[in-house]
Amino acid sequence: MELGNWLAEVRRRRPLVHNMTNLVVTNAVANALLAIGASPVMAYAHEEVEDMARISGGLALNMGTLNPELITGMLLAGRAAAQAGVPVVFDPVGVGATPYRNRSADEIVHQLNLSVLRGNAGEIGQIVGSGGTVSGVDAMDAGQELPGAAARFAREHRTVVVATGEEDLVTDGTRSWVLHNGHAWLSRITGSGCMLTGIIGAFVAVADRQMGAEGYAEAAVAAVTCLNLAAEKAAALSEGPGTFAAHLYDALYTLSPDDVDRGARIERWGAGT
Amino acid sequence: MELGNWLAEVRRRRPLVHNMTNLVVTNAVANALLAIGASPVMAYAHEEVEDMARISGGLALNMGTLNPELITGMLLAGRAAAQAGVPVVFDPVGVGATPYRNRSADEIVHQLNLSVLRGNAGEIGQIVGSGGTVSGVDAMDAGQELPGAAARFAREHRTVVVATGEEDLVTDGTRSWVLHNGHAWLSRITGSGCMLTGIIGAFVAVADRQMGAEGYAEAAVAAVTCLNLAAEKAAALSEGPGTFAAHLYDALYTLSPDDVDRGARIERWGAGT
Amino acid sequence: MELGNWLAEVRRRRPLVHNMTNLVVTNAVANALLAIGASPVMAYAHEEVEDMARISGGLALNMGTLNPELITGMLLAGRAAAQAGVPVVFDPVGVGATPYRNRSADEIVHQLNLSVLRGNAGEIGQIVGSGGTVSGVDAMDAGQELPGAAARFAREHRTVVVATGEEDLVTDGTRSWVLHNGHAWLSRITGSGCMLTGIIGAFVAVADRQMGAEGYAEAAVAAVTCLNLAAEKAAALSEGPGTFAAHLYDALYTLSPDDVDRGARIERWGAGT
């Protein structure tokens, strides 16, 4: 898997990514997508989400500040995307924290054909049924069974699961990877996970749709690695989370395909996979 | 036209600018207005938008993340502003991308008396009927006929049209200017156009209302030039879009009227205008 | 009062702070809370605000971009918090600017048991009845009677009042403090007051609930002082409001309990108090 090619492809094709994301991170997601070379659009009105999803290269759904109107809009957009062959990424922010979040995540997971499910380890644990705890939106504790449960979920739902944390897990149910890049300050700025969800939306947008989950898994591995490498680069120039955030956008902008190929620390996971 | 005076006047009078803007850029617009010396307020509730518009110096409307409730609120605020003599700036973000955006922009353009219409060249082309394409909110391709069509639209609607891009066009229908300042990184941070819309709101707020479009045109030329010069200054200190954004606010804050008068690269456009 | 201990306690316990805040500052509030060591969550849906408030350490309500649905949600969350013993902080952003803001602030002040009322001097003057003027959300002019009226209000409502400005006032009705730290650039970035409201939410979350207003007052003094000291530190490294904002998060992150104890410039106010 030549990861640098994925970044080059995003820069070349500049895919339009339709984001339905949360109120906390909207600006950060848009800036991360612009910095890496994609073209973000945010659209929420039921009157237009289907049209916007259809003309996009990828649809990124994030339920951080969910409400019933937003969930309905996500279902409309998600179905339109699926019909048009546009890949859908879903980020179940804070699932596990309240019953309403659980019901809403469940609705989206079961009613849409997701190309990628992306959350922190605690959130993914909630959805794939390996346990784990969530307090609010960022505390988390993944169960020991996460990798196996995530792979099983990916196989059953023909999707890709990305569980982020100190190390990140990507699986398409057949193959799994553990990604070792990144920096602790990603957890000290709000929206780094949400940025990743948007960036994955840009990378799956340039995947070969015929390959399905296999292609989306590689796109996700490349996306996670790009953000993680940018974080490493940014942290080296920063004195805290404020300057880190500024340098992170710079690093997403200056990161080269070659940086990605040389910097990636990726491990195939699991026997016989 | 002594552009530096406009900046000095904004700093001296610190006009209240009522923004109804999109979810992506709310923070950026408020910070840009504070940095340049104006006083931003964001208010959306139908219960108060008329009251807020009336006590403001300028009203800036931005439909980036539109929905029916927002459009209705904009019409309420826009009519109240017009009755109170408060100038209204409208930014038709993403018009052309979906039918719903087209209908909504049309409604606002035809039901309100706009002092300034501000968009990127693709968006303005959609509205003034010179063609051009829009994909999502930031890709654009202006038709060749944009300057003529924009001037015609300005005359017919007694308004000022601002079309931004690599070069920026300002016209009140009688006079037109091409503005040559700016930096490419403005298109690599989200909301630079929306910031401009807010800043124009601050500059028209200090214009002589008796002069109508003539005064608003000069205010718009000054506003665009201030943001462009701040961008040039910021880019010289930055390594990418993240540090650029931070330095942009610094530059809006430190920019002097003298910097504006010396740095402005402005050209009158068109024969006999 | 050993202020540094409060900061150490926030870092140690990492309280979950449920914010219902405005669209302009959501990102800034989340980042400020993460930087200082707390765990922010934003949740607005009526379907979950009670659940979220109950599992939080503090609830911070900010009416900057209010609408009827938000106010109803705040009342739901605020009552659930009170029943669960979770302290509630309220920030009446822009009260005085429109009749709707006045009615809404009145509703919250009278229907909820607030642990802390936090606003700029003009806003607090409006609520405690000492006069003062508000234009939009940031201009202000406090009446001369503010300290006395604030103390009276605090006694009558068994709450803590925090009025910020060039100097900051904290009172629980019995004891009052004037805080002399801070930097003028706090008023040149949007949301510094809203960040403070969120940070107070984190500090009251670690207060001894049995002490009531007395403990919350000390928490508020510590919270204001931490943000003010971070601002002083950040300003020394910055050239304007953009770099200041980035350094402010760094400073919130690197500020030590010892910095707080040594840097605090606090004065007890009023004879016989």
Side-chain angles (χ1 to χ4, degrees), chain A residues 192-205:
Chain A
S192 58
C194 308
M195 282 182 205
L196 176 56
T197 298
I199 291 173
I200 292 174
F203 279 65
V204 294

Side-chain angles (χ1 to χ4, degrees), chain A residues 252-271:
Chain A
L252 287 169
Y253 178 75
T254 56
L255 193 74
S256 72
D258 202 47
D259 291 337
V260 179
D261 287 329
R262 281 179 309 172
R265 294 193 292 129
I266 297 177
E267 194 187 341
R268 280 295 289 275
W269 178 85

Side-chain angles (χ1 to χ4, degrees), chain A:
Chain A
M1 202 190 314
E2 297 192 15
L3 295 180
N5 277 352
W6 286 94
L7 176 60
E9 213 39 29
V10 166
R11 296 247 171 88
R12 193 177 66 76
R13 290 170 55 183
R14 201 172 169 71
L16 183 68
V17 181
H18 177 191
N19 298 276
M20 300 179 72
T21 188
N22 72 65
L23 299 174
V24 189
V25 304
T26 329
N27 186 268
V29 171
N31 273 327
L33 283 166
L34 284 171
I36 208 163
S39 178
V41 68
M42 274 67 178
Y44 300 90
H46 296 182
E47 286 79 3
E48 71 167 352
V49 287
E50 294 163 299
D51 293 326
M52 197 64 92
R54 278 186 209 109
I55 63 167
S56 298
L59 172 67
L61 308 176
N62 174 311
M63 71 172 209
T65 50
L66 79 177
N67 60 45
E69 200 182 334
L70 181 68
I71 297 296
T72 304
M74 286 181 172
L75 294 172
L76 288 171
R79 284 186 199 115
Q83 280 164 11
V86 174
V88 182
V89 186
F90 174 52
D91 189 338
V93 179
V95 68
T98 66
Y100 176 59
R101 282 183 193 243
N102 297 352
R103 289 196 306 275
S104 300
D106 205 59
E107 207 178 340
I108 287 181
V109 166
H110 288 97
Q111 297 203 18
L112 295 182
N113 289 320
L114 301 178
S115 303
V116 182
L117 173 71
R118 203 297 309 171
N120 63 39
E123 293 158 350
I124 295 299
Q126 288 284 326
I127 289 188
V128 303
S130 68
T133 59
V134 177
S135 153
V137 295
D138 70 339
M140 56 172 218
D141 174 32
Q144 289 290 341
E145 281 80 38
L146 184 63
R152 200 158 48 241
F153 183 93
R155 270 195 307 278
E156 284 167 9
H157 290 77
R158 300 193 179 190
T159 190
V160 172
V161 176
V162 180
T164 51
E166 226 173 295
E167 296 183 335
D168 310 302
L169 172 77
V170 177
T171 179
D172 61 11
T174 307
R175 299 168 303 164
S176 299
W177 297 265
V178 178
L179 314 182
H180 296 281
N181 296 102
H183 193 277
W185 281 348
L186 282 172
S187 67
R188 281 298 183 119
I189 59 169
T190 193
S192 58
C194 308
M195 282 182 205
L196 176 56
T197 298
I199 291 173
I200 292 174
F203 279 65
V204 294
V206 301
D208 180 351
R209 293 179 184 178
Q210 304 305 323
M211 292 182 59
E214 203 177 323
Y216 297 144
E218 295 190 12
V221 169
V224 176
T225 301
C226 284
L227 181 62
N228 279 346
L229 285 169
E232 293 175 7
K233 207 169 157 181
L237 298 168
S238 307
E239 291 146 72
T243 46
F244 173 69
H247 287 125
L248 184 60
Y249 298 116
D250 284 6
L252 287 169
Y253 178 75
T254 56
L255 193 74
S256 72
D258 202 47
D259 291 337
V260 179
D261 287 329
R262 281 179 309 172
R265 294 193 292 129
I266 297 177
E267 194 187 341
R268 280 295 289 275
W269 178 85
T273 58

